């Protein structure tokens, strides 16, 4: 690409920041350069086409900015955030920064935040408080807040008012502008705020420093258009935009050739993949069918919305091979009335019907889920419907949450008559069922030989190695460290509530892996 094209594409990317937002008057707090967030603007879904930029480049003038400096990124929230952190780390390295784990020696600290529940946000505010003394000791230190919390107006206002140790705030749509944002923070010495309320374009070829060299995350789409009434994500991540299949396939091929063994495809609602393509009929089932042919042992995806889970996808997944027989299928509630006010757009019956269809084609599938208890006005009977649905499906694991009101979402305006104590009690009762079913699912493996992708030393006990099966069961076992990064056959000797213990049988040669 020549210089002219590069500048044109850079301008096209940059122009989003000024055109996409209605500026708010934050000047009473600060007179810095800012583009402030607006949940109202974030909700607007325009018809404008997504531009694909294949050519991310860091401007020459920023190269070397990080020489002699170190960066640290704290990551909260989901895999999407973890993966964004990998991209930002990639950009830092290109700028010449070195990574550090030690806050005392970091020259830039970024908090990549999550807004999904109130306690996630409180942790970040607590942490920001802890960082203040560092800033006093080292005035050259830059502290930045990015990720989903930055997309919320209320959070930005709160930081402006109370956390003046923060030097920069940027959102989820413009992480590729990290070099420009850092540069501005160094120059201006005032809080730099660049949060785009409308999503940016899809930018390819961003640098990445992946955590580990066995498993890799690959984004297949960004954003969410579902607007479940409790959820902040459609506001913080923008409208659904799918990456082009050729870019995804090329990335997966390249990871396979680098020796990665497992890919997790990422999206807030991967089943909507391809819905936004105007000129092609290409959906998740087509993508999975293409990825199935790539020589890599395992491919997973997360997260699936039950509503868009179609028959074509079930047919492709049923062919297995490198497509694992584990589906995370968040149900949220077992009561059709609750599902209706959550705007999930399916019922208890249609969810059970989907499970039946999946099981008919994939009898050995492991299903896991997400559940919210204590949604406004949930009755005891409605909660019991959740318990009964859990047992009926026989989920093997679940992430369970007490409902947390998120400002700006429709549910936050609903009156709620369920006391917190009742919500806590429901969570406990649900978790008891989750534990029981998780233990039961693991018990089935007692004495069996399972295929484990070995990730390295167990976090709890460095004398044993740990890894996961295709169905995402954690297995701990004794083996030489060289087995790390490989697939191994392990004989299960003990099934616990949350994990399996076993003995190494043998390392699997790569040509044996196809199931
Ligand atoms: N896109 C995914 C969910 C991402 S958020 C999906 O729809 O499947 C992960 C989980 O957090 C959700 O499934 C839900 O169970 C929970 N969650 C989201 N908003 C919440 C809120 N306001 N309070 C409590 N839990 C919430
Ligand atoms: Fe949130 Fe619903 Fe979108 Fe999942 S599908 S991210 S729960 S709005
Ligand atoms: Fe949290 Fe944003 Fe993920 S709100 S769950 S980090 S998409």
């Amino acid at each position: 690409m020549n210089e002219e094209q590069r500048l044109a594409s850079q301008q096209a990317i940059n122009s989003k920041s000024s055109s996409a937002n209605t500026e708010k008057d934050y000047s009473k707090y600060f007179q810095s350069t800012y583009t402030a967030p607006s949940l109202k603007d974030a909700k607007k879904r325009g018809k404008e086409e997504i531009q694909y930029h294949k050519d991310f480049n860091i401007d020459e003038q920023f190269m070397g900015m990080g020489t002699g400096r170190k960066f640290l990124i704290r990551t909260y929230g989901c895999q999407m955030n973890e993966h964004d952190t990998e991209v930002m780390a990639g950009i830092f390295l290109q700028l010449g920064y070195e990574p550090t784990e030690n806050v005392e020696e970091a020259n830039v600290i970024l908090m990549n935040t999550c807004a999904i529940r109130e306690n996630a946000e409180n942790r970040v505010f607590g942490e920001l408080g802890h960082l203040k003394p560092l800033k006093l000791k080292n005035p050259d230190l830059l502290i930045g807040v990015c990720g989903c919390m930055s997309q919320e107006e209320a959070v930005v206002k709160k930081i402006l008012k109370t956390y003046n140790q923060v030097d920069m705030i940027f959102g989820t749509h413009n992480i590729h502008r990290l070099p420009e944002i850092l540069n501005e923070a160094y120059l201006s010495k005032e809080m730099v705020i660049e949060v785009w309320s409308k999503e940016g374009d899809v930018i390819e070829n961003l640098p990445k420093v992946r955590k580990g060299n066995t498993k890799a995350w690959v984004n297949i789409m960004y954003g969410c258009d579902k607007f479940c009434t409790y959820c902040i994500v459609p506001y913080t991540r923008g409208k659904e935009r799918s990456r082009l299949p050729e870019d995804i396939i090329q990335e997966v091929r390249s990871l396979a050739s680098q020796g990665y063994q497992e890919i997790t495809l990422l999206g807030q609602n991967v089943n909507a993949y391809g819905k936004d393509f105007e000129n092609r009929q290409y959906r998740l089932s087509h993508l999975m069918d293409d990825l199935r042919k790539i020589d890599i042992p395992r491919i997973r995806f997360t997260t699936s919305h039950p509503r868009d889970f179609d028959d074509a996808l079930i047919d492709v997944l049923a062919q297995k091979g490198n497509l694992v027989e584990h589906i995370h299928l968040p149900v949220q509630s077992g009561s059709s009335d609750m599902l209706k006010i959550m705007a999930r757009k399916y019922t208890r019956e249609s969810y059970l019907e989907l499970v039946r269809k999946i099981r008919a084609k994939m009898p050995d599938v492991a299903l896991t889920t997400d559940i919210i208890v204590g949604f406004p006005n949930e009755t005891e009977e409605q909660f019991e419907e959740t318990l009964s649905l859990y047992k009926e499906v026989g989920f093997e694991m679940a992430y369970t949450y007490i409902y947390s009101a998120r400002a700006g979402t429709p549910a936050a305006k609903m009156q709620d008559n369920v006391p917190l104590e009742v919500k806590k009690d429901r969570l406990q009762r649900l978790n008891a069922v989750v534990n029981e079913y998780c233990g039961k699912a693991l018990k089935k493996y007692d004495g069996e030989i399972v295929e484990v992708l070995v990730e390295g030393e167990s976090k709890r006990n460095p004398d044993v190695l740990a890894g996961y099966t295709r169905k995402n069961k954690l297995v701990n076992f004794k083996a030489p460290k060289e087995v790390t990064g490989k697939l191994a056959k392990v004989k299960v000797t003990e099934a616990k509530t949350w994990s399996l213990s076993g003995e190494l049988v043998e390392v699997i040669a790569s040509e044996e892996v196809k199931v």
Side-chain angles (χ1 to χ4, degrees):
M1 178 165 79
N2 67 33
E3 183 63 7
E4 212 174 320
Q5 284 169 321
R6 197 186 59 73
L7 281 173
S9 87
Q10 192 70 42
Q11 266 170 10
I13 299 172
N14 291 353
S15 66
K16 283 271 173 180
S17 65
S18 48
S19 65
N21 292 278
T22 324
E23 275 196 5
K24 296 277 175 301
D25 182 17
Y26 286 84
S27 52
K28 62 179 177 222
Y29 301 118
F30 247 91
Q31 345 64 21
S32 66
T33 324
Y34 59 77
T35 343
S38 150
L39 283 190
K40 215 162 110 222
D41 291 347
K43 190 167 195 283
K44 291 184 194 142
R45 295 295 197 259
K47 284 247 179 296
E48 62 276 15
E49 244 183 70
I50 295 298
Q51 305 286 316
Y52 291 86
H53 299 272
K54 301 268 178 182
D55 39 28
F56 173 80
N57 267 319
I58 294 179
D59 202 300
E60 290 276 314
Q61 61 169 314
F62 303 129
M63 290 311 217
M65 182 198 275
T67 312
R69 289 173 165 154
K70 294 189 174 169
F71 75 95
L72 184 155
I73 311 177
R74 290 249 166 91
T75 313
Y76 303 80
C78 66
Q79 293 97 331
M80 200 71 73
N81 258 15
E82 299 266 358
H83 190 45
D84 284 350
T85 288
E86 295 182 335
V87 172
M88 292 190 286
I91 297 177
F92 271 119
L93 289 200
Q94 286 202 351
L95 291 170
Y97 288 84
E98 274 177 58
T100 178
E101 293 290 315
N102 180 350
V103 282
E104 301 277 342
E105 60 173 41
N107 304 92
V108 183
I109 300 175
L110 287 188
M111 311 280 280
N112 190 7
T113 61
C114 171
I116 203 83
R117 282 169 291 274
E118 195 183 351
N119 54 8
E121 296 204 346
N122 288 343
R123 276 174 61 205
V124 169
F125 286 123
E127 200 52 43
L128 280 178
H130 291 145
L131 293 178
K132 189 158 188 169
L134 281 181
K135 185 80 188 173
L136 297 176
K137 253 200 263 169
N138 173 10
D140 285 336
L141 169 68
L142 287 185
I143 298 179
V145 177
C146 58
C148 287
M149 279 170 71
S150 307
Q151 296 291 145
E152 296 179 280
E153 290 162 74
V155 167
V156 171
K157 280 188 188 157
K158 183 166 171 177
I159 294 176
L160 275 163
K161 253 190 187 159
T162 346
Y163 296 88
N164 63 3
Q165 62 270 44
V166 174
D167 301 281
M168 48 194 172
I169 308 179
F170 57 100
T172 57
H173 302 311
N174 53 340
I175 59 175
H176 59 280
R177 292 207 10 103
L178 182 59
E180 284 81 1
I181 295 165
L182 284 167
N183 185 53
E184 212 175 312
Y186 283 124
L187 294 179
S188 81
K189 295 284 169 207
E190 282 178 353
M191 204 182 291
V192 172
I193 303 170
E194 187 181 292
V195 184
W196 306 352
S197 297
K198 282 256 168 131
E199 57 287 327
D201 296 330
V202 172
I203 305 188
E204 293 296 339
N205 297 323
L206 289 163
K208 285 159 204 138
V209 182
R210 296 188 189 268
K211 214 164 121 196
N213 43 19
T214 312
K215 304 209 284 192
W217 285 306
V218 171
N219 272 124
I220 63 167
M221 60 183 301
Y222 304 97
C224 180
D225 285 350
K226 283 282 186 276
F227 286 100
C228 303
T229 51
Y230 50 82
C231 185
I232 194 76
V233 172
Y235 308 84
T236 64
R237 291 276 170 175
K239 78 171 179 190
E240 289 171 356
R241 291 99 72 208
S242 302
R243 281 180 75 198
L244 297 175
E246 48 274 28
D247 293 326
I248 298 169
I249 291 166
Q250 197 210 0
E251 186 174 352
V252 174
R253 279 213 186 104
S254 147
L255 290 165
S257 70
Q258 292 166 51
Y260 284 90
Q261 309 275 318
E262 183 176 305
I263 302 293
T264 303
L265 306 174
L266 293 182
Q268 282 304 338
N269 169 16
V270 288
N271 301 71
Y273 176 77
K275 269 188 162 178
D276 53 321
F277 293 148
E278 295 209 329
N279 304 320
R280 43 176 130 189
Q281 265 300 323
Y282 190 98
R283 302 294 302 275
L284 186 62
S285 55
H286 301 101
L287 180 66
M288 297 311 279
D289 200 34
D290 282 336
L291 296 177
R292 200 168 61 77
K293 295 161 195 151
I294 297 178
D295 191 11
I296 191 159
R298 293 180 181 180
I299 298 185
R300 318 179 171 275
F301 55 82
T302 195
T303 300
S304 269
H305 191 292
R307 178 157 165 100
D308 294 321
F309 209 111
D310 56 25
D311 293 350
L313 179 62
I314 301 177
D315 287 339
V316 178
L317 296 181
Q319 298 185 50
K320 302 215 309 193
N322 59 5
L323 309 181
V324 300
E325 50 281 2
H326 167 216
I327 302 174
H328 187 66
L329 196 62
V331 66
Q332 313 300 356
S333 167
S335 148
S336 292
D337 291 339
M338 279 289 115
L339 290 169
K340 188 153 190 206
I341 46 173
M342 289 176 166
R344 291 291 286 181
K345 303 197 175 70
Y346 54 83
T347 59
R348 175 189 177 97
E349 291 70 33
S350 65
Y351 186 92
L352 287 171
E353 173 59 18
L354 174 62
V355 168
R356 197 195 55 71
K357 274 205 278 188
I358 294 173
R359 288 235 164 94
K361 296 265 168 77
M362 305 173 72
D364 62 340
V365 72
L367 294 173
T368 56
T369 200
D370 291 350
I371 292 175
I372 297 176
V373 300
F375 192 76
N377 306 313
E378 182 189 59
T379 63
E380 171 63 22
E381 290 71 34
Q382 287 165 332
F383 168 67
E384 282 171 14
E385 284 188 80
T386 298
L387 291 181
S388 77
L389 177 113
Y390 198 95
K391 294 175 186 169
E392 193 165 337
V393 175
F395 289 112
E396 299 197 0
M397 206 275 297
Y399 296 107
T400 56
Y401 309 101
I402 290 183
Y403 164 73
S404 166
R406 308 316 296 131
T409 62
K413 296 187 194 86
M414 295 176 193
Q415 290 263 331
D416 187 5
N417 62 8
V418 189
L420 185 61
E421 282 316 305
V422 174
K423 293 180 194 238
K424 285 186 181 162
D425 176 63
R426 286 181 191 164
L427 184 70
Q428 263 187 9
R429 284 156 67 201
L430 173 61
N431 284 345
V433 175
V434 171
N435 292 355
E436 180 195 334
Y437 276 71
C438 186
K440 259 197 218 169
L442 291 174
K443 197 90 202 127
K444 285 191 271 182
Y445 293 101
D446 224 343
E448 298 281 306
I449 291 177
V450 291
E451 179 206 281
V452 179
L453 177 55
V454 189
E455 292 189 12
E457 285 174 8
S458 151
K459 282 188 198 119
R460 293 214 179 143
N461 175 1
D463 294 339
V464 297
L465 294 182
Y468 288 85
T469 67
R470 286 169 63 92
K471 295 187 188 176
N472 223 21
K473 308 295 181 211
L474 175 61
V475 186
N476 295 303
F477 61 103
K478 279 218 163 99
K481 299 265 183 288
E482 299 75 68
V483 179
T484 300
K486 302 200 167 113
L487 283 157
K489 284 186 187 162
V490 175
K491 182 165 174 157
V492 175
T493 50
E494 190 188 351
K496 303 185 174 159
T497 312
W498 293 106
S499 64
L500 301 168
S501 301
E503 287 162 0
L504 177 67
V505 179
E506 60 180 352
V507 174
I508 305 177
S510 48
E511 56 277 10
E512 267 182 63
V513 170
K514 297 278 141 48
V515 179

